[in-house]
Amino acid sequence: MPATGGIEITDIEDERAQEEAEKQGVYFVLEQATLEVAKVGKGYDLLNCDDHYSFLKKHGKDPAHYRPDIAHQALLTILDSPANKAGKVKGIFVHTFKNVLIQVNTQVRLPRTYKRFAGLMTQLLQKLSIRATNGPDKLLKVIKGPVGRHLPSGAHRIGFSRSANKVIPMHVHPAIDKTEPLVFIVGAFSHGKIDEGLVDEYISISEYPLSAAYALSRITNALEQRWNIV
């Protein structure tokens, strides 16, 4: 292969490919998560429909709305994905229905059980940050909104809804072939819809209703296939 200025053409192509690979990255926003802490009895708890049904009814709240387990399972799906382990997930944010914005470190190891997750969220929402036990890094922290200020300019924002006008399997969506950052906004609620002002387009990735965790698994799987992450 002829050289150009002492640099092999293949080396230049490899450098360009590496630059493009470094640009690849995705951000996830879990929208309208039902994470709310309240004093129940002598202590503070993360409210949920199973353990606090009577408390929620007494205070005029709809118990069916309180599903913090949805955010828990969704976060585990993102964090466990090969896409995240390969460094392609650049940011994870949780926006609660109480307008609290949480930034999640992509390297955090969340508790696997809901009970321990609830304890961690209770601590976070009271202290506003959770630090690593072996260093100064904040693994979870409450930050100032709106979420758009923490996302890269020019990123394409995709919202997911079963009621969207178009059904597009994630692995054939044209956005995953682009080099600009992608933002995937997924509802972390049992019923509802993502604010249209947050997204550039709405799509549905199935003819059937999907849980947030399963929708996220489809998204991450499509990205892993596209980027050859095994």
mmCIF file of all heavy atoms in Angstrom, residues 11 18 23 38 43 57 63 85 96 98 103 131 134-135 152 160 163 180 186 188 202-203 211 223-225 228:
data_model
loop_
_atom_site.group_PDB
_atom_site.id
_atom_site.type_symbol
_atom_site.label_atom_id
_atom_site.label_comp_id
_atom_site.label_asym_id
_atom_site.label_seq_id
_atom_site.Cartn_x
_atom_site.Cartn_y
_atom_site.Cartn_z
ATOM 1 N N ASP A 11 -3.808 3.376 7.906
ATOM 2 C CA ASP A 11 -3.715 4.003 9.231
ATOM 3 C C ASP A 11 -4.656 5.190 9.320
ATOM 4 O O ASP A 11 -5.302 5.417 10.352
ATOM 5 C CB ASP A 11 -2.284 4.459 9.513
ATOM 6 C CG ASP A 11 -1.331 3.284 9.709
ATOM 7 O OD1 ASP A 11 -1.837 2.172 9.983
ATOM 8 O OD2 ASP A 11 -0.107 3.475 9.590
ATOM 9 N N GLN A 18 -11.809 5.253 14.186
ATOM 10 C CA GLN A 18 -11.725 5.408 15.635
ATOM 11 C C GLN A 18 -12.399 6.696 16.089
ATOM 12 O O GLN A 18 -13.102 6.722 17.108
ATOM 13 C CB GLN A 18 -10.255 5.403 16.077
ATOM 14 C CG GLN A 18 -10.042 5.539 17.585
ATOM 15 C CD GLN A 18 -10.603 4.378 18.361
ATOM 16 O OE1 GLN A 18 -10.677 3.265 17.849
ATOM 17 N NE2 GLN A 18 -11.019 4.628 19.591
ATOM 18 N N LYS A 23 -17.285 9.183 18.704
ATOM 19 C CA LYS A 23 -18.442 10.078 18.670
ATOM 20 C C LYS A 23 -19.731 9.335 19.020
ATOM 21 O O LYS A 23 -20.688 9.922 19.490
ATOM 22 C CB LYS A 23 -18.593 10.700 17.269
ATOM 23 C CG LYS A 23 -17.526 11.717 16.906
ATOM 24 C CD LYS A 23 -17.773 12.241 15.500
ATOM 25 C CE LYS A 23 -16.678 13.201 15.050
ATOM 26 N NZ LYS A 23 -16.895 13.654 13.659
ATOM 27 N N ALA A 38 -41.760 9.957 51.672
ATOM 28 C CA ALA A 38 -42.648 10.567 52.661
ATOM 29 C C ALA A 38 -42.420 9.908 54.017
ATOM 30 O O ALA A 38 -41.925 8.767 54.092
ATOM 31 C CB ALA A 38 -44.110 10.415 52.237
ATOM 32 N N GLY A 43 -40.528 6.550 60.317
ATOM 33 C CA GLY A 43 -39.418 6.721 59.385
ATOM 34 C C GLY A 43 -39.860 7.226 58.037
ATOM 35 O O GLY A 43 -41.044 7.510 57.802
ATOM 36 N N LYS A 57 -53.975 6.261 49.887
ATOM 37 C CA LYS A 57 -55.416 6.552 49.819
ATOM 38 C C LYS A 57 -55.799 7.627 50.829
ATOM 39 O O LYS A 57 -56.591 8.527 50.531
ATOM 40 C CB LYS A 57 -56.204 5.273 50.071
ATOM 41 C CG LYS A 57 -56.059 4.208 48.999
ATOM 42 C CD LYS A 57 -56.750 4.592 47.697
ATOM 43 C CE LYS A 57 -58.246 4.448 47.784
ATOM 44 N NZ LYS A 57 -58.903 4.692 46.483
ATOM 45 N N PRO A 63 -52.903 4.998 44.413
ATOM 46 C CA PRO A 63 -51.852 3.990 44.641
ATOM 47 C C PRO A 63 -51.299 3.389 43.353
ATOM 48 O O PRO A 63 -50.104 3.062 43.281
ATOM 49 C CB PRO A 63 -52.571 2.927 45.488
ATOM 50 C CG PRO A 63 -53.678 3.667 46.163
ATOM 51 C CD PRO A 63 -54.134 4.693 45.165
ATOM 52 N N LYS A 85 -21.469 -1.306 29.152
ATOM 53 C CA LYS A 85 -20.168 -1.839 29.563
ATOM 54 C C LYS A 85 -19.083 -1.526 28.539
ATOM 55 O O LYS A 85 -17.899 -1.468 28.883
ATOM 56 C CB LYS A 85 -20.289 -3.333 29.809
ATOM 57 C CG LYS A 85 -21.166 -3.635 31.029
ATOM 58 C CD LYS A 85 -21.394 -5.106 31.241
ATOM 59 C CE LYS A 85 -22.293 -5.336 32.453
ATOM 60 N NZ LYS A 85 -22.576 -6.768 32.689
ATOM 61 N N THR A 96 -38.283 12.769 37.783
ATOM 62 C CA THR A 96 -39.447 12.282 38.515
ATOM 63 C C THR A 96 -40.676 13.140 38.236
ATOM 64 O O THR A 96 -40.585 14.262 37.730
ATOM 65 C CB THR A 96 -39.187 12.270 40.031
ATOM 66 O OG1 THR A 96 -39.310 13.600 40.547
ATOM 67 C CG2 THR A 96 -37.799 11.727 40.354
ATOM 68 N N LYS A 98 -42.290 14.577 40.317
ATOM 69 C CA LYS A 98 -42.205 15.723 41.222
ATOM 70 C C LYS A 98 -41.182 16.752 40.728
ATOM 71 O O LYS A 98 -40.816 17.670 41.448
ATOM 72 C CB LYS A 98 -41.822 15.247 42.630
ATOM 73 C CG LYS A 98 -42.936 14.507 43.359
ATOM 74 C CD LYS A 98 -44.023 15.454 43.790
ATOM 75 C CE LYS A 98 -45.037 14.793 44.678
ATOM 76 N NZ LYS A 98 -46.092 15.732 45.132
ATOM 77 N N GLN A 103 -29.072 12.438 38.219
ATOM 78 C CA GLN A 103 -28.048 11.962 37.295
ATOM 79 C C GLN A 103 -27.462 10.670 37.862
ATOM 80 O O GLN A 103 -27.074 10.604 39.027
ATOM 81 C CB GLN A 103 -26.948 12.997 37.106
ATOM 82 C CG GLN A 103 -25.911 12.604 36.064
ATOM 83 C CD GLN A 103 -24.921 13.718 35.794
ATOM 84 O OE1 GLN A 103 -24.650 14.559 36.647
ATOM 85 N NE2 GLN A 103 -24.377 13.748 34.593
ATOM 86 N N ARG A 131 -22.279 9.078 47.404
ATOM 87 C CA ARG A 131 -20.873 8.967 47.013
ATOM 88 C C ARG A 131 -20.417 7.513 47.017
ATOM 89 O O ARG A 131 -20.967 6.674 47.732
ATOM 90 C CB ARG A 131 -19.991 9.782 47.960
ATOM 91 C CG ARG A 131 -20.189 11.282 47.859
ATOM 92 C CD ARG A 131 -19.219 12.026 48.757
ATOM 93 N NE ARG A 131 -19.398 13.468 48.679
ATOM 94 C CZ ARG A 131 -18.824 14.245 47.770
ATOM 95 N NH1 ARG A 131 -18.008 13.705 46.875
ATOM 96 N NH2 ARG A 131 -19.041 15.553 47.767
ATOM 97 N N ASN A 134 -15.459 4.014 48.116
ATOM 98 C CA ASN A 134 -13.991 3.959 48.006
ATOM 99 C C ASN A 134 -13.403 5.139 47.241
ATOM 100 O O ASN A 134 -12.320 5.041 46.673
ATOM 101 C CB ASN A 134 -13.575 2.653 47.326
ATOM 102 C CG ASN A 134 -14.209 2.502 45.942
ATOM 103 O OD1 ASN A 134 -15.096 3.261 45.575
ATOM 104 N ND2 ASN A 134 -13.740 1.524 45.186
ATOM 105 N N GLY A 135 -14.115 6.260 47.225
ATOM 106 C CA GLY A 135 -13.594 7.422 46.509
ATOM 107 C C GLY A 135 -14.548 8.602 46.575
ATOM 108 O O GLY A 135 -15.630 8.506 47.162
ATOM 109 N N PRO A 152 -26.049 16.857 25.015
ATOM 110 C CA PRO A 152 -25.250 17.529 23.985
ATOM 111 C C PRO A 152 -26.131 18.257 22.982
ATOM 112 O O PRO A 152 -27.209 17.766 22.619
ATOM 113 C CB PRO A 152 -24.482 16.383 23.332
ATOM 114 C CG PRO A 152 -25.285 15.165 23.619
ATOM 115 C CD PRO A 152 -25.927 15.391 24.951
ATOM 116 N N PHE A 160 -40.642 7.384 23.091
ATOM 117 C CA PHE A 160 -41.300 6.125 22.775
ATOM 118 C C PHE A 160 -42.721 6.112 23.332
ATOM 119 O O PHE A 160 -42.959 6.453 24.479
ATOM 120 C CB PHE A 160 -40.498 4.951 23.343
ATOM 121 C CG PHE A 160 -39.143 4.829 22.716
ATOM 122 C CD1 PHE A 160 -38.070 5.579 23.190
ATOM 123 C CD2 PHE A 160 -38.938 3.991 21.637
ATOM 124 C CE1 PHE A 160 -36.823 5.483 22.600
ATOM 125 C CE2 PHE A 160 -37.698 3.894 21.040
ATOM 126 C CZ PHE A 160 -36.640 4.639 21.512
ATOM 127 N N SER A 163 -48.746 4.780 21.224
ATOM 128 C CA SER A 163 -49.718 5.518 20.413
ATOM 129 C C SER A 163 -49.062 6.328 19.300
ATOM 130 O O SER A 163 -49.733 7.095 18.612
ATOM 131 C CB SER A 163 -50.544 6.447 21.299
ATOM 132 O OG SER A 163 -49.711 7.393 21.946
ATOM 133 N N GLU A 180 -24.116 11.501 15.195
ATOM 134 C CA GLU A 180 -24.396 12.438 16.284
ATOM 135 C C GLU A 180 -25.001 11.691 17.473
ATOM 136 O O GLU A 180 -25.590 10.619 17.308
ATOM 137 C CB GLU A 180 -25.330 13.559 15.832
ATOM 138 C CG GLU A 180 -26.726 13.122 15.468
ATOM 139 C CD GLU A 180 -26.903 13.024 13.962
ATOM 140 O OE1 GLU A 180 -25.894 12.840 13.259
ATOM 141 O OE2 GLU A 180 -28.040 13.120 13.507
ATOM 142 N N VAL A 186 -37.671 7.460 27.668
ATOM 143 C CA VAL A 186 -38.600 6.363 27.931
ATOM 144 C C VAL A 186 -39.390 6.668 29.191
ATOM 145 O O VAL A 186 -38.821 7.095 30.207
ATOM 146 C CB VAL A 186 -37.828 5.031 28.092
ATOM 147 C CG1 VAL A 186 -38.778 3.890 28.426
ATOM 148 C CG2 VAL A 186 -37.041 4.721 26.819
ATOM 149 N N ALA A 188 -41.106 6.118 32.611
ATOM 150 C CA ALA A 188 -40.915 5.219 33.752
ATOM 151 C C ALA A 188 -42.172 5.195 34.611
ATOM 152 O O ALA A 188 -42.116 5.202 35.833
ATOM 153 C CB ALA A 188 -39.708 5.655 34.578
ATOM 154 N N TYR A 202 -41.600 10.952 17.962
ATOM 155 C CA TYR A 202 -42.162 9.833 18.696
ATOM 156 C C TYR A 202 -42.144 8.603 17.803
ATOM 157 O O TYR A 202 -42.495 8.681 16.624
ATOM 158 C CB TYR A 202 -43.623 10.096 19.056
ATOM 159 C CG TYR A 202 -43.858 10.798 20.353
ATOM 160 C CD1 TYR A 202 -44.509 12.021 20.386
ATOM 161 C CD2 TYR A 202 -43.485 10.216 21.562
ATOM 162 C CE1 TYR A 202 -44.753 12.677 21.578
ATOM 163 C CE2 TYR A 202 -43.729 10.868 22.757
ATOM 164 C CZ TYR A 202 -44.366 12.091 22.760
ATOM 165 O OH TYR A 202 -44.609 12.723 23.939
ATOM 166 N N ILE A 203 -41.771 7.470 18.349
ATOM 167 C CA ILE A 203 -41.911 6.234 17.610
ATOM 168 C C ILE A 203 -42.428 5.142 18.544
ATOM 169 O O ILE A 203 -42.342 5.255 19.773
ATOM 170 C CB ILE A 203 -40.582 5.770 16.963
ATOM 171 C CG1 ILE A 203 -39.556 5.358 18.034
ATOM 172 C CG2 ILE A 203 -40.026 6.808 16.022
ATOM 173 C CD1 ILE A 203 -38.367 4.614 17.466
ATOM 174 N N SER A 211 -43.159 -3.097 28.568
ATOM 175 C CA SER A 211 -42.675 -2.484 29.804
ATOM 176 C C SER A 211 -41.490 -1.602 29.467
ATOM 177 O O SER A 211 -40.839 -1.766 28.425
ATOM 178 C CB SER A 211 -42.264 -3.560 30.810
ATOM 179 O OG SER A 211 -41.114 -4.255 30.339
ATOM 180 N N LEU A 223 -28.647 -1.236 19.283
ATOM 181 C CA LEU A 223 -27.376 -0.484 19.236
ATOM 182 C C LEU A 223 -26.178 -1.425 19.263
ATOM 183 O O LEU A 223 -25.188 -1.198 18.558
ATOM 184 C CB LEU A 223 -27.319 0.490 20.430
ATOM 185 C CG LEU A 223 -28.356 1.613 20.421
ATOM 186 C CD1 LEU A 223 -28.355 2.323 21.759
ATOM 187 C CD2 LEU A 223 -28.101 2.586 19.291
ATOM 188 N N GLU A 224 -26.273 -2.469 20.064
ATOM 189 C CA GLU A 224 -25.172 -3.429 20.158
ATOM 190 C C GLU A 224 -24.951 -4.146 18.827
ATOM 191 O O GLU A 224 -23.809 -4.383 18.407
ATOM 192 C CB GLU A 224 -25.450 -4.416 21.281
ATOM 193 C CG GLU A 224 -25.309 -3.790 22.665
ATOM 194 C CD GLU A 224 -26.196 -4.436 23.716
ATOM 195 O OE1 GLU A 224 -26.764 -5.513 23.449
ATOM 196 O OE2 GLU A 224 -26.307 -3.862 24.806
ATOM 197 N N GLN A 225 -26.046 -4.476 18.149
ATOM 198 C CA GLN A 225 -25.922 -5.108 16.833
ATOM 199 C C GLN A 225 -25.292 -4.142 15.838
ATOM 200 O O GLN A 225 -24.414 -4.530 15.053
ATOM 201 C CB GLN A 225 -27.289 -5.553 16.339
ATOM 202 C CG GLN A 225 -27.877 -6.722 17.106
ATOM 203 C CD GLN A 225 -29.263 -7.092 16.616
ATOM 204 O OE1 GLN A 225 -29.614 -6.872 15.454
ATOM 205 N NE2 GLN A 225 -30.079 -7.643 17.507
ATOM 206 N N ASN A 228 -21.620 -3.694 16.617
ATOM 207 C CA ASN A 228 -20.858 -4.937 16.728
ATOM 208 C C ASN A 228 -20.322 -5.163 18.149
ATOM 209 O O ASN A 228 -19.170 -5.559 18.346
ATOM 210 C CB ASN A 228 -19.689 -4.964 15.726
ATOM 211 C CG ASN A 228 -20.176 -4.960 14.280
ATOM 212 O OD1 ASN A 228 -21.139 -5.661 13.949
ATOM 213 N ND2 ASN A 228 -19.540 -4.171 13.437
#
